[in-house]
Amino acid sequence: MDISVQDITSVDKEIIVKATRNDLSSKFDKAYKKYQKQIQMPGFRPGHVPLGLVKKRFGKEIEMEEINSYVQEVYEKEIVPEHEPVGETKMLDMNWENDELEVKFQVGKKPEFELTDLEKVEVDKMVHDVTDVEVDEEIERTLERQGNWKETEEEITEESQVTVDAVSLDEDGNPVEGEKDEDQKLDLRQEGAKDFREKLVGKKKGDVVKMEIGEDDEADRFEIHVKKVEVMDKAELSDEFVKEQSNGEAKNVDEFKSFIKSRMQEYYDQSAEDMFKQDAIDALTEEHDIEVPEVMQDQILDSYVEYAKQQSGGQLPEDFDFSEYKENMREQAVREGKWAFISEKLQDKFDDIEIKPEDIDEFIGMEAAKHGMSADQLKGYYAQNPNQLESLRTSIRENKVFDKLNDVVKINELSKDDFRKKREEKQEKDDK
C-alpha cells in the first residue's frame, strides 16, 4: 500500500491511496471462505460449494465489498490519525483495474493562525433601560390586540379599518370586466396601507374613490367602494384583565405595569446579548484572515440546503437552483467556518471554562421556554438522544466564551436608537 499527499491549498489536500491485489489477497481469501460456508447452490451440500465456483459466480461482488471495507479501514486508521481532517472528507474517485486499486480523497486541514489581541477588538453593544412611556405604549398595544373592531358611521381616520370593493380600471378609467376584489379589509394603521390611507381619510361609508398606485406604464388604477368603516374598541384595563394577561402574576394595574416592564427589559437584555454575540463574531471573523477548507464549506452549504428544505415543508420547489443558492450562501458559509476555528481557539485560551450541572439545567430551561416545552420534557429528549448531549455542552461552552469576551474586548455602549441607526447604516453600506 502507498499513500501520497498533494496540497491543493494551504488547507485542502488530495490524498491518494494505492494498493495491489497482494495487499488485499488475505482479505479476499477470508471473505471467500466466509461466503463459501453461507452460499447454497443446487447440487451441493450447504457450505460445500467449491471455492472456484464461488469465485466465478460471486467473486466480483465479494471483492468489491472487501475493497470498500479496506478503503474505510485505511481512512480511519491511516489518514484520520495522520491528517486530522476537518469538514466532511470527499472521496473523489475509486478505481479497481488490473488488480490495482487507486482511491482519491479530498480532506480539509485545520488552518494555522494566532488569535488577535482581543483587547483591541471593538464590539458595539446596545444598552437600554425600558421607560415608563414604553410600558404605557405596550399596554396600549395589548389593549388593542385584545379589543374588537366596531362599525361606525363617522368619517375614516388614520386609525380606522375599512372594508372595500376594489375595481380595476383601464387607462381610460373604465372598469375592467371580471377584475373586482370584494370585501377587502384594510387596516389603515399599517405601513403597507399608506397609499390607501392618504386617499381614504375623511371619506365615509358609501363613498367611491379613484386612486392610482405606481407610475406611468407600471401604474395600477382602482375604484375603491367603501362598504364599512370600523374603529377599534379597546379592551378595558381592569384588575380582571391584568390577571388574565399576566397569568395571575399581576393582581392590579400597578403590578401589571411592573410585570410588563420586567418582561420588556428581559426582551431588550436578551436582544442586546444576542446582537453582541453576532457583532463579536463579525468583528473576530473580520480580524482573522483564515482559509476555510472547501470540504468544510460544502458541508456547511449542504446544511443550509437541508434547513431550506425543512422551512419549505420537507420539499424544495422543482425549479430550485442548488448551485446558485450555494454560491449566494458561500460567503456566509466561509464566515461560519472561520468562526468555528476561532471559537475553538478561544475555548483553548479560556481554559478555565467549566460546565457545571446547574449550567446544563439553566440552558435546558431556556431552550424549553423557547420551544414551548417543559424542562422535564426536554431533559427526556436528551436522555433518549445522548448523542445530542455533546452538542448541548458545546453550546454552553460557547456561551461561556462570549461571557469571557464580554470582559476582554472593547465594548462601545450605544443607546437603542444609536445602535439601530449604526446597524442600518452598515446594512446600507453592505448592500451597495
Side-chain angles (χ1 to χ4, degrees):
M1 181 186 69
D2 176 67
I3 299 178
S4 59
V5 182
Q6 297 179 2
D7 289 335
I8 302 174
T9 68
S10 64
V11 292
D12 291 291
K13 295 178 179 292
E14 183 176 274
I15 298 178
I16 302 173
V17 177
K18 292 183 178 180
T20 65
R21 178 170 286 277
N22 287 337
D23 297 313
L24 294 158
S25 59
S26 62
K27 283 184 169 293
F28 290 163
D29 290 342
K30 287 181 182 179
Y32 281 130
K33 290 176 182 177
K34 179 183 75 173
Y35 282 102
Q36 183 186 26
K37 295 177 181 179
Q38 298 173 0
I39 292 174
Q40 297 184 26
M41 294 180 66
F44 299 96
R45 286 181 297 154
H48 288 76
V49 178
L51 196 59
L53 188 55
V54 172
K55 291 181 180 181
K56 182 177 180 181
R57 293 284 300 273
F58 306 103
K60 185 176 181 180
E61 291 83 355
I62 292 173
E63 290 188 359
M64 282 308 302
E65 183 177 327
E66 291 306 305
I67 287 171
N68 287 326
S69 175
Y70 175 78
V71 170
Q72 184 66 27
E73 185 179 309
V74 169
Y75 176 77
E76 292 176 355
K77 293 185 177 180
E78 303 290 339
I79 296 175
V80 171
E82 176 69 22
H83 299 281
E84 298 181 341
V86 295
E88 196 169 274
T89 296
K90 290 181 182 177
M91 183 185 288
L92 302 177
D93 186 36
M94 185 171 77
N95 190 38
W96 171 248
E97 285 185 359
N98 301 321
D99 292 338
E100 291 185 346
L101 173 68
E102 181 176 281
V103 186
K104 293 182 180 179
F105 294 101
Q106 182 175 334
V107 302
K109 175 190 173 186
K110 190 182 296 185
E112 297 179 0
F113 68 99
E114 295 295 328
L115 281 175
T116 189
D117 184 351
L118 297 177
E119 293 182 358
K120 294 182 179 179
V121 176
E122 295 188 14
V123 182
D124 293 334
K125 191 169 187 179
M126 181 182 74
V127 178
H128 180 66
D129 293 326
V130 176
T131 66
D132 290 339
V133 172
E134 289 174 315
V135 172
D136 290 339
E137 290 173 346
E138 178 59 27
I139 290 175
E140 282 299 304
R141 285 191 289 268
T142 302
L143 293 174
E144 285 190 3
R145 286 194 296 269
Q146 299 302 317
N148 297 293
W149 289 104
K150 183 175 65 175
E151 190 169 356
T152 179
E153 299 297 324
E154 300 296 322
E155 290 184 351
I156 297 171
T157 71
E158 293 184 349
E159 300 297 314
S160 299
Q161 175 174 275
V162 295
T163 302
V164 304
D165 288 345
V167 180
S168 295
L169 303 177
D170 61 22
E171 293 182 358
D172 298 322
N174 300 314
V176 178
E177 186 176 352
E179 293 191 15
K180 179 180 181 181
D181 291 326
E182 297 184 332
D183 296 326
Q184 298 299 303
K185 287 188 180 294
L186 301 172
D187 185 347
L188 299 184
R189 301 172 304 174
Q190 303 298 321
E191 180 61 30
K194 179 182 177 182
D195 292 328
F196 294 95
R197 184 167 59 242
E198 291 175 351
K199 292 291 185 179
L200 295 176
V201 167
K203 305 299 182 182
K204 287 187 174 184
K205 175 182 176 181
D207 287 345
V208 178
V209 179
K210 290 187 177 182
M211 61 181 296
E212 185 175 299
I213 298 178
E215 297 179 358
D216 303 327
D217 294 338
E218 301 296 323
D220 291 317
R221 300 169 182 82
F222 301 96
E223 190 173 74
I224 304 297
H225 297 250
V226 182
K227 301 174 71 175
K228 184 193 293 185
V229 180
E230 296 173 290
V231 294
M232 173 56 66
D233 184 17
K234 298 178 184 177
E236 181 183 354
L237 184 59
S238 63
D239 290 350
E240 183 179 349
F241 177 83
V242 302
K243 288 176 185 177
E244 181 182 340
Q245 292 299 307
S246 65
N247 291 322
E249 292 190 42
K251 302 296 189 297
N252 53 52
V253 173
D254 287 339
E255 288 186 11
F256 187 58
K257 289 184 177 182
S258 297
F259 171 82
I260 292 293
K261 190 169 190 175
S262 174
R263 292 296 182 271
M264 292 180 69
Q265 193 64 58
E266 287 177 6
Y267 167 78
Y268 276 112
D269 290 347
Q270 186 59 55
S271 296
E273 189 61 32
D274 291 342
M275 289 186 288
F276 167 76
K277 291 177 181 179
Q278 197 60 58
D279 288 350
I281 291 173
D282 290 342
L284 286 166
T285 52
E286 288 174 9
E287 280 287 330
H288 293 86
D289 185 15
I290 303 171
E291 195 168 2
V292 178
E294 182 182 325
V295 290
M296 189 173 185
Q297 293 181 38
D298 290 343
Q299 183 179 1
I300 295 171
L301 288 168
D302 287 340
S303 74
Y304 293 166
V305 171
E306 283 303 310
Y307 180 75
K309 188 183 296 183
Q310 292 173 14
Q311 295 299 103
S312 301
Q315 187 69 42
L316 292 170
E318 291 185 4
D319 60 350
F320 185 84
D321 191 326
F322 288 88
S323 298
E324 181 180 0
Y325 176 78
K326 287 184 176 182
E327 199 53 43
N328 290 337
M329 298 295 289
R330 188 167 294 277
E331 185 176 338
Q332 181 176 325
V334 170
R335 177 177 161 280
E336 184 173 330
K338 288 175 68 175
W339 172 246
F341 295 122
I342 294 169
S343 178
E344 185 178 8
K345 283 269 191 181
L346 289 170
Q347 291 177 43
D348 291 339
K349 177 180 176 62
F350 303 133
D351 56 7
D352 59 339
I353 288 178
E354 180 184 359
I355 299 178
K356 301 176 182 178
E358 53 264 35
D359 295 324
I360 295 176
D361 288 341
E362 181 182 357
F363 185 85
I364 288 178
M366 292 175 62
E367 288 299 301
K370 286 182 185 177
H371 297 93
M373 304 169 62
S374 70
D376 287 340
Q377 285 177 316
L378 195 53
K379 284 181 181 179
Y381 167 78
Y382 283 114
Q384 295 173 12
N385 299 273
N387 58 315
Q388 294 294 321
L389 281 174
E390 186 53 39
S391 175
L392 178 148
R393 295 177 68 85
T394 299
S395 297
I396 295 174
R397 193 175 293 110
E398 191 162 276
N399 283 340
K400 287 180 174 288
V401 165
F402 285 114
D403 290 340
K404 295 283 188 179
L405 286 174
N406 195 66
D407 296 330
V408 177
V409 301
K410 181 180 178 182
I411 295 178
N412 300 321
E413 293 189 348
L414 300 173
S415 68
K416 179 182 69 173
D417 292 338
D418 289 342
F419 184 85
R420 185 176 297 161
K421 181 179 179 182
K422 190 169 182 179
R423 285 176 75 91
E424 289 174 352
E425 289 173 349
K426 183 179 183 301
Q427 187 61 50
E428 289 178 4
K429 184 178 179 181
D430 291 342
D431 291 340
K432 289 182 180 180

